[in-house]
Amino acid sequence: MPPIWAISCSSSHCVNTFFVTVNGGGGGGGGSGVVVVVVVVVVVVEVVIVVVVVVVVVVVVVEVVVVVVVEVVVVVVVVVVEVVVVVVVVVVVVVVVVVVVVVVVVVKVVVVVAVVVEVVIVVVVVVVVVVVVLVVVVVQVVVEVVVVVVVVVVVVVVVVVEVVVVVEVVEVVVVVVVVVVVVVVVVVAVAVAEAVAALQDQYLRMIKWEKVT
């Protein structure tokens, strides 16, 4: 009988092969018990997998059904609301037209009432025009103020950025100038020291030459 760890597969065919291999060795009831346990475990695992798959499918189907129902309800509600709005608008327009026609007829019958109504209409029109003009002016002013504020903010931001850049550039220039000055001073000092040393050496040579002569 081959060792158990030599059999490595997970399908039902491999389980049957394991069963035949164990029983082929003539091991007795112990091998059959192990095979039964293995078969039961495999069956339980497969049943659990099937149940899980069924549950997942059911959940997905329920979610799809719920989404479809919600979309249908939303569409129906939107259509109903649009129809109601259209009906209300039509009714209002019809009522307004009827009222206007009646008023016009009455105004034509009664001259004084007609004059008063015309005056009222003119006043209402003037008031409406004034209100509309005021609203337009206020909106324009607000828009202009918003535009000015935005422009000012942008300008301030740009100025701040430019100032920061200029400060950084000035710092870099100052650092470079300081470094250059230090280098120049060091070079000049070295040159002066060498010149002084050369002059001293020349002077000493001249003194020695005078002593010799």
Side-chain angles (χ1 to χ4, degrees):
M1 179 181 67
I4 293 175
W5 57 81
I7 300 170
S8 59
C9 51
S10 60
S11 66
S12 60
H13 176 71
C14 292
V15 171
N16 292 333
T17 302
F18 178 78
F19 177 80
V20 171
T21 302
V22 173
N23 285 342
S32 299
V34 172
V35 171
V36 170
V37 170
V38 171
V39 172
V40 170
V41 169
V42 171
V43 171
V44 169
V45 170
E46 291 181 352
V47 170
V48 169
I49 291 173
V50 171
V51 170
V52 170
V53 171
V54 170
V55 170
V56 170
V57 171
V58 170
V59 170
V60 171
V61 171
V62 169
E63 289 181 354
V64 171
V65 170
V66 169
V67 170
V68 171
V69 169
V70 169
E71 290 182 353
V72 170
V73 170
V74 170
V75 171
V76 171
V77 169
V78 170
V79 172
V80 170
V81 169
E82 290 180 353
V83 171
V84 170
V85 169
V86 171
V87 171
V88 169
V89 170
V90 171
V91 170
V92 170
V93 170
V94 171
V95 170
V96 170
V97 170
V98 171
V99 170
V100 170
V101 171
V102 171
V103 169
V104 170
V105 171
V106 172
V107 167
K108 286 182 179 180
V109 174
V110 184
V111 178
V112 176
V113 175
V115 171
V116 172
V117 169
E118 288 178 358
V119 171
V120 171
I121 290 173
V122 170
V123 172
V124 169
V125 169
V126 171
V127 171
V128 169
V129 170
V130 171
V131 170
V132 170
V133 171
L134 288 177
V135 169
V136 170
V137 170
V138 170
V139 169
Q140 186 176 359
V141 170
V142 170
V143 170
E144 291 178 355
V145 170
V146 170
V147 170
V148 169
V149 170
V150 170
V151 170
V152 169
V153 170
V154 170
V155 170
V156 170
V157 170
V158 170
V159 169
V160 170
V161 170
E162 290 181 353
V163 168
V164 171
V165 171
V166 169
V167 169
E168 292 180 353
V169 170
V170 169
E171 289 178 355
V172 172
V173 170
V174 168
V175 170
V176 171
V177 169
V178 169
V179 170
V180 170
V181 169
V182 170
V183 170
V184 170
V185 169
V186 170
V187 170
V188 170
V190 170
V192 169
E194 290 181 353
V196 169
L199 289 175
Q200 288 178 351
D201 186 43
Q202 187 68 26
Y203 180 72
L204 290 175
R205 286 181 181 179
M206 289 176 63
I207 291 175
K208 288 180 180 179
W209 175 258
E210 288 178 357
K211 287 182 178 180
V212 169
T213 57

